[in-house]
Amino acid sequence: MPPPLKQPKPLKRNASLREVVAFNIRTHRVDMALSQEDLALSAELDRTYVSAVERGRWNISLSNIERLAEVLDVEPWRLLRPPAAAGQ
């Protein structure tokens, strides 16, 4: 049995956009109980790429934001929005 999925650590107040995207992708992925591999396969991306994006190591293209948003069943702009702004 795979280990339970963990939500990301809370974002710092001055998080970069790359960190915001990483946080949001991981949050939505975990909420859907998807592994990185499942997400990557569904979005037709490499698992190591998804891992690097979730860790904020790599920039992500708009095309790949669209692919991931589709699999995560969210509007692409939601992956760019800081969590504190979500309720506004």
Side-chain angles (χ1 to χ4, degrees), residues 16-26 29 35-37 39-40 45-61 64 68:
S16 70
L17 184 56
R18 189 186 303 183
E19 292 168 322
V20 169
V21 171
F23 177 88
N24 287 332
I25 289 171
R26 182 166 183 173
R29 178 179 63 77
S35 67
Q36 286 179 343
E37 185 172 13
L39 176 58
L45 298 169
D46 190 89
R47 186 206 52 83
T48 59
Y49 175 79
V50 170
S51 174
V53 168
E54 281 192 5
R55 288 180 289 122
R57 300 289 187 233
W58 289 358
N59 283 322
I60 184 171
S61 70
N64 288 342
L68 292 169

Side-chain angles (χ1 to χ4, degrees), residues 3-87:
L5 301 173
K6 295 180 187 175
Q7 288 289 344
K9 294 178 184 174
L11 279 175
K12 296 175 270 179
R13 175 172 239 139
N14 60 345
S16 70
L17 184 56
R18 189 186 303 183
E19 292 168 322
V20 169
V21 171
F23 177 88
N24 287 332
I25 289 171
R26 182 166 183 173
T27 298
H28 287 291
R29 178 179 63 77
V30 170
D31 286 348
M32 292 182 72
L34 293 173
S35 67
Q36 286 179 343
E37 185 172 13
D38 292 336
L39 176 58
L41 287 171
S42 295
E44 298 180 351
L45 298 169
D46 190 89
R47 186 206 52 83
T48 59
Y49 175 79
V50 170
S51 174
V53 168
E54 281 192 5
R55 288 180 289 122
R57 300 289 187 233
W58 289 358
N59 283 322
I60 184 171
S61 70
L62 292 174
S63 297
N64 288 342
I65 287 173
E66 282 184 316
R67 286 173 151 189
L68 292 169
E70 185 175 328
V71 174
L72 296 170
D73 197 29
V74 297
E75 294 294 324
W77 63 267
R78 292 199 175 271
L79 298 179
L80 301 170
R81 192 167 190 182

